[in-house]
Amino acid sequence: MATVSVSATDEGSGVDRIEFAEGDGAFQPYTAPVMVHQVGQHTIRYRAVDKAGNVSEVKSVDFTVVAPPTDDSTPPETSATVSGEKDPSGAYIGMATVTITASDTGSGVNRIDYALGQGEFQPYTGPVMVHDAGAHTVRFRAADKAGNVSAVKSVDFRVVVPPAEDTLPR
């Protein structure tokens, strides 16, 4: 884990606020030291705004978080659930939501990745919503802070188009 603290001073009107951004992300208010837990290389950008509205030059700090020494050789446990409204055949009507979880009793979970079908893996940041009608597969895996990666697992499901509403007068 790394903690990044930022401070600013202004001789004129005084500091109004400090903002920070992780990597290329959007700036957000800095209210407390930024704690980074994910193993890997990171960049925190920061700037200050004074009470007259002047914005400082953006500065940044680059750092790497490494896994703590460990004898952990067991990959994380992973699972996924699919939820949504189902029709009588078990297909999801209009949309299916895939929620992935991982746990690791050794060094702790570092990241979860998922892929739609045979697509590229990408970071899992929250439930995946699938709206397209048809058969789908979501693959997933997790890595712990010691570098152990779980086997790829998958869930299969089908999404169908919602039935048209009956608009005939009765």
Side-chain angles (χ1 to χ4, degrees):
M1 179 182 79
T3 303
V4 179
S5 298
V6 181
S7 63
T9 59
D10 183 76
E11 300 281 327
S13 61
V15 175
D16 181 52
R17 68 185 180 276
I18 299 172
E19 300 172 325
F20 78 98
E22 295 185 47
D24 293 329
F27 278 97
Q28 53 192 318
Y30 173 84
T31 57
V34 180
M35 297 189 345
V36 180
H37 299 278
Q38 188 170 7
V39 172
Q41 295 182 345
H42 302 276
T43 298
I44 299 290
R45 297 179 297 125
Y46 55 94
R47 66 184 180 193
V49 180
D50 70 11
K51 292 178 181 170
N54 300 305
V55 180
S56 72
E57 173 185 336
V58 174
K59 295 183 179 178
S60 66
V61 60
D62 298 317
F63 57 94
T64 302
V65 175
V66 297
T70 179
D71 57 0
D72 179 6
S73 61
T74 305
E77 291 290 326
T78 59
S79 64
T81 57
V82 183
S83 60
E85 182 183 354
K86 290 183 178 181
D87 70 7
S89 72
Y92 292 90
I93 302 170
M95 178 183 82
T97 301
V98 180
T99 303
I100 303 168
T101 58
S103 62
D104 186 83
T105 57
S107 59
V109 174
N110 187 45
R111 70 171 199 284
I112 300 172
D113 300 315
Y114 79 98
L116 295 173
Q118 294 303 309
E120 295 292 319
F121 277 99
Q122 54 191 311
Y124 175 81
T125 57
V128 178
M129 291 178 260
V130 180
H131 298 274
D132 296 336
H136 299 279
T137 298
V138 172
R139 298 178 296 130
F140 55 96
R141 66 183 180 204
D144 66 16
K145 293 178 181 173
N148 301 304
V149 180
S150 68
V152 174
K153 293 182 182 176
S154 64
V155 291
D156 297 313
F157 55 93
R158 195 166 52 92
V159 175
V160 295
V161 175
E165 287 189 36
D166 183 359
T167 58
L168 296 175
R170 301 224 183 257

